[in-house]
Amino acid sequence: MGSGVQGSGRSVVTVGVYDGVHRGHQRVLGRAVAVARERGLPAVAVTFEPHPDEVVRPGTHPARLTGPRRRAELLRALGVDVVEVVPFTLELSRADAAEFARTVLAERLRAAVVVAGEGFTFGRDAGGDVETLRALGDKYDFTVEVLPRVAGVSSTGVRERIVAGDVEGAAALLGRPHRVEGVVVRGYQRGRQLGFPTANVETPPHTAIPADGVYAGWLECVPVANLPALYPGERWPAAISVGTNPTFEGVPRTVEAYALDRDDLELYGAHVAVDFAARLRGNTRFESIEALVEQIQADVEAARRLTA
């Protein structure tokens, strides 16, 4: 995901971690794309991988709302021409604001305009702010446009809602349902035995997974390199279970999705996306398999209504 910009003229640049690509991010990115179109220049979004906190404060970084592939997909859907993924290293974390502006914005991307949100910080210890950026723009021949924050919208706020199981609140901040992705692996197959075969989704480390409970949403296969592309274009309403399944002992935390009325899907090894629409209930221990099946049937009907 290199720039394709170097040596090809000026560009309109915006910089951020952009985890989640939420409504606040969308405002900044949308303005960058509009300025780029006005000037006939490519719009470049600079993001970092891994998350800077992972490098600066190992073990403390926040749960991830979007992986790099999904983030790039969302950025391009907003009209960004180039997603420039900068490897975030200890060396980069020690670069001051002036060095970042010179090496990345001026030399690498030949920025004509940099579009930023009002809370933007950059450089060592987040020492640079939008006023620093403007001063460096005068030095390195780029202008700076700053957009006000979207009130109440932040990646931290999205994470807080997901942790609480408030996936509807998270969707309001994101502008779309929260999505969890991963590869379907073989589980205990208890759902299949009960008549509700689920896709057991193995998520990447640090994924932002909603609170334990049962949810309504959608399941779909996502084509990625080196994995089978199954059921292209299909997206199924789903009942989703997150947690350790308290009716059965010793089960690790999982994300399982049952595509409503589909017992014929063969998804093992596929990369899938699970979109969370609404929380149905918390997890409960059932005294009998019959009681569990009865509740699952009620969950399926609720999921059917909510995703209709």
Side-chain angles (χ1 to χ4, degrees), residues 9 14 23 34 45 60 81 92 108 110 114 157 165 175 179 192 202 222 225 240 283 287 297 304:
T14 181
R23 285 174 44 232
T60 66
D81 299 298
L92 182 63
R108 183 167 172 174
R110 299 194 62 206
V114 177
R179 170 172 287 195
R192 187 174 295 276
E202 187 171 78
V222 177
I240 305 152
N283 278 354
E287 295 306 316
Q297 288 169 335
R304 197 188 310 283

Side-chain angles (χ1 to χ4, degrees), residues 3-13 39-44 82 104-113:
S3 74
V5 170
Q6 200 166 4
S8 63
R10 308 299 295 274
S11 63
V12 176
V13 179
R39 296 184 174 225
L41 299 175
V44 181
V82 176
V104 177
L105 300 178
E107 294 176 1
R108 183 167 172 174
L109 300 176
R110 299 194 62 206
V113 183

Side-chain angles (χ1 to χ4, degrees), residues 254-280:
T254 59
V255 176
E256 296 180 71
Y258 164 60
L260 304 189
D261 308 316
R262 295 298 298 265
D263 59 6
D264 59 331
L265 300 176
E266 293 296 337
L267 297 173
Y268 292 123
H271 188 98
V272 298
V274 178
D275 288 334
F276 290 83
R279 182 177 168 93
L280 301 178

Side-chain angles (χ1 to χ4, degrees), residues 45-64:
V46 177
T47 73
F48 303 96
E49 190 62 32
H51 193 291
D53 284 358
E54 200 169 329
V55 174
V56 178
R57 292 178 292 277
T60 66
H61 59 83
R64 301 195 67 160

Side-chain angles (χ1 to χ4, degrees), residues 118 120 122 128-138 144 146:
E118 65 179 336
F120 177 69
F122 66 113
D129 59 14
V130 292
E131 293 309 317
T132 315
L133 189 62
R134 284 197 171 102
L136 290 166
D138 292 340
V144 176
V146 179

